[in-house]
Amino acid sequence: MTIRVQSSPFDVGAETSDFAAAQTGMGAIVTFTGVVRDLPGDGLERMEIEHYPGMTEKALAAIADQAQTRWSLGGVLIIHRYGTLRAGDQIMMVATASKHRAHAFEAADFLMDYLKSRAPFWKKEYTRSGAEWVASKDEDEAALTRW
Amino acid sequence: MTIRVQSSPFDVGAETSDFAAAQTGMGAIVTFTGVVRDLPGDGLERMEIEHYPGMTEKALAAIADQAQTRWSLGGVLIIHRYGTLRAGDQIMMVATASKHRAHAFEAADFLMDYLKSRAPFWKKEYTRSGAEWVASKDEDEAALTRW
Amino acid sequence: MDILYFAWVRERVGLPRERIETTAATVADLVEELRAREERYAAAFADLSALRVAVDQELTDFDAPLAGAREVAFFPPMTGG
Amino acid sequence: MDILYFAWVRERVGLPRERIETTAATVADLVEELRAREERYAAAFADLSALRVAVDQELTDFDAPLAGAREVAFFPPMTGG
């Protein structure tokens, strides 16, 4: 299991390559990459991501542990950035490997749902008209009941 | 939409990078990579993948079209190899991009289910004790009823 | 009409493709014609439930009409991915 | 005890962390103490349903006991991913 919380960009291609190369006996590899979207209207000047150093790493490791308990997985990778990002920047990625494609897909989907609502990150969006904390969505919390 | 049917290996890292770079306004990118697994017991000497040139490309394009009709997607990429492969070789990949993570996940999962049962590829496994065509699984056909 | 065979169907028939003259109205009629030819065809087409068919590169059923068809392919269920 | 604030809770309280002496038995008791201090705390803790709390870096509830706790953090619902 690899957990990285970093302000610097990551290279999704190199990460995917390295992750795939590190797996043995796995038939299926799924990756998810989250990208900062521009805002309609004013446009996004930048996004600031705040996190809780210490707790963040623990929370992500606990989520990855849960995934490894629920599905038969090889590797699990989670990378999440903090600090200043702009539209088009890659904000985070997860990767899962399993012998079975359904496990790899479900585990990646699960990681994303939990990461959104249980890992201590907060986003603030800056536009020409001001700055606003991104509100959590009821649907994100509701998504956890799928698992 | 990009469909590639090729005997040569592909670089999953470079493909993921290029795919991600080509998307605009997409918040979510999902990739699935299929890897040849070794066989218990005798071990896999090699796998030969046969396909139906002409129909293969059409069938994959039709599956990608269906995905684009059902979900709100940016790009869709499908790469599938044919010819000789060995354990650990990457056999195929799909990538999907969407504004919404659920769409990207579901579309990639759908592409895999359809590709398995509706694209004209056949696998033959060679071991020390002989060669055998891989039998289709009832569960693969059943998976299509999810959609 | 071009007839194509893939995977173990190809191996049983002993060739990947052939051109034949036929007046078969449906895929099923064509299968009957082929079966009657030689033992290797009878072996390849022994169990239709184990076979799939494409007419002009589109998956279809054994009762599909062949009017205007240029290419018919027989093969086992696909195992890609 | 170290008290940490994140996102708009941090902005309302006006600082990211502070060390306080408290005999509060539960998180809810601690919130009452903080609210009574100054207007900026009252503003930050006006609506508990909009807040989440972690004790020693584990998410928990407002009725969680504080015996032995070294670090309590208050923040809005997370929005990562």
Side-chain angles (χ1 to χ4, degrees):
Chain A
M1 182 200 303
T2 306
I3 308 287
R4 295 209 327 255
V5 182
Q6 60 189 51
S7 61
S8 53
F10 58 90
D11 177 337
V12 65
E15 297 295 343
T16 301
S17 263
D18 292 351
F19 181 80
Q23 307 306 315
T24 42
M26 297 295 121
I29 294 163
V30 170
T31 72
F32 177 93
T33 308
V35 182
V36 178
R37 286 171 61 195
D38 206 353
L39 289 174
D42 275 350
L44 183 74
E45 259 174 15
R46 70 179 200 277
M47 171 183 280
E48 295 287 341
I49 302 181
E50 184 171 333
H51 81 115
Y52 183 171
M55 178 172 167
T56 307
E57 293 77 2
K58 281 185 208 168
L60 293 176
I63 293 166
D65 269 341
Q66 271 193 68
Q68 283 182 314
T69 304
R70 297 178 65 132
W71 291 279
S72 171
L73 300 178
V76 171
L77 167 71
I78 304 178
I79 302 173
H80 203 301
R81 293 179 64 190
Y82 61 88
T84 306
L85 285 92
R86 293 174 205 283
D89 286 354
Q90 290 158 358
I91 187 172
M92 50 76 58
M93 76 174 281
V94 304
T96 56
S98 176
K99 288 184 179 167
H100 313 290
R101 78 182 189 284
H103 287 226
F105 266 119
E106 285 178 27
D109 203 0
F110 169 93
L111 289 175
M112 286 308 304
D113 276 354
Y114 269 77
L115 191 154
K116 277 218 166 280
S117 301
R118 292 291 181 267
F121 290 100
W122 301 274
K123 291 175 184 153
K124 191 172 189 176
E125 292 171 339
Y126 291 76
T127 67
R128 272 176 315 196
S129 24
E132 208 156 339
W133 289 98
V134 173
S136 67
K137 294 188 190 123
D138 289 344
E139 69 196 59
D140 287 337
E141 188 65 32
L144 302 188
T145 62
R146 294 162 64 202
W147 306 105
Chain B
M1 184 200 303
T2 306
I3 309 287
R4 294 203 335 248
V5 182
Q6 60 188 50
S7 60
S8 54
F10 59 90
D11 177 337
V12 64
E15 297 295 344
T16 302
S17 263
D18 291 352
F19 181 80
Q23 307 305 315
T24 42
M26 297 295 120
I29 294 164
V30 170
T31 72
F32 177 94
T33 308
V35 182
V36 178
R37 286 170 61 195
D38 206 353
L39 289 174
D42 275 350
L44 183 74
E45 258 173 18
R46 70 180 201 276
M47 171 183 279
E48 295 287 341
I49 302 181
E50 185 171 333
H51 81 116
Y52 183 171
M55 179 173 165
T56 308
E57 293 77 1
K58 280 185 208 169
L60 293 177
I63 293 166
D65 268 341
Q66 271 192 68
Q68 282 183 315
T69 303
R70 296 178 66 132
W71 291 279
S72 171
L73 301 178
V76 172
L77 167 71
I78 304 178
I79 301 174
H80 204 301
R81 293 179 64 190
Y82 61 88
T84 306
L85 286 92
R86 293 175 205 281
D89 286 353
Q90 289 158 359
I91 187 171
M92 50 75 58
M93 75 174 282
V94 304
T96 55
S98 175
K99 288 183 177 166
H100 313 290
R101 79 181 187 285
H103 287 226
F105 266 119
E106 285 178 27
D109 203 359
F110 168 93
L111 288 175
M112 287 307 305
D113 276 353
Y114 268 78
L115 190 154
K116 277 219 166 276
S117 301
R118 292 291 182 267
F121 291 100
W122 301 274
K123 290 176 183 154
K124 191 171 190 176
E125 292 170 338
Y126 291 76
T127 68
R128 273 176 315 196
S129 24
E132 207 155 340
W133 289 99
V134 174
S136 67
K137 294 189 190 120
D138 289 344
E139 70 196 58
D140 287 337
E141 188 65 31
L144 302 189
T145 62
R146 295 162 64 203
W147 305 106
Chain C
M1 189 180 290
D2 288 320
I3 314 292
L4 284 70
Y5 309 104
F6 291 97
W8 58 254
V9 184
R10 172 177 56 70
E11 292 175 340
R12 287 194 198 168
V13 172
L15 75 180
R17 65 189 300 154
E18 59 187 324
R19 174 159 288 184
I20 66 164
E21 298 299 321
T22 179
T23 55
T26 67
V27 173
D29 293 343
L30 174 62
V31 167
E32 282 315 308
E33 265 187 41
L34 292 169
R35 269 181 180 152
R37 280 179 150 198
E38 281 179 57
E39 176 51 32
R40 57 198 170 100
Y41 290 95
F45 291 99
D47 175 11
L48 287 196
S49 75
L51 292 183
R52 301 290 179 269
V53 60
V55 172
D56 289 337
Q57 306 190 348
E58 292 272 356
L59 272 183
T60 186
D61 300 315
F62 283 87
D63 54 6
L66 289 180
R70 286 159 303 148
E71 183 173 307
V72 178
F74 296 101
F75 40 78
M78 290 95 144
T79 54
Chain D
M1 188 178 291
D2 288 319
I3 314 292
L4 284 72
Y5 309 104
F6 292 97
W8 58 253
V9 184
R10 171 178 56 70
E11 292 175 341
R12 287 195 198 168
V13 171
L15 77 180
R17 65 188 299 154
E18 60 187 323
R19 174 158 288 184
I20 65 164
E21 298 298 322
T22 179
T23 56
T26 67
V27 174
D29 293 344
L30 174 62
V31 168
E32 282 316 307
E33 265 187 42
L34 292 168
R35 269 181 179 150
R37 281 178 149 199
E38 281 179 54
E39 176 51 32
R40 57 198 171 99
Y41 290 95
F45 290 98
D47 175 11
L48 287 196
S49 75
L51 291 183
R52 301 290 179 270
V53 61
V55 173
D56 289 337
Q57 306 190 350
E58 293 272 356
L59 271 183
T60 187
D61 299 315
F62 283 87
D63 54 6
L66 288 182
R70 286 159 303 148
E71 184 173 307
V72 178
F74 295 102
F75 41 78
M78 290 97 144
T79 54

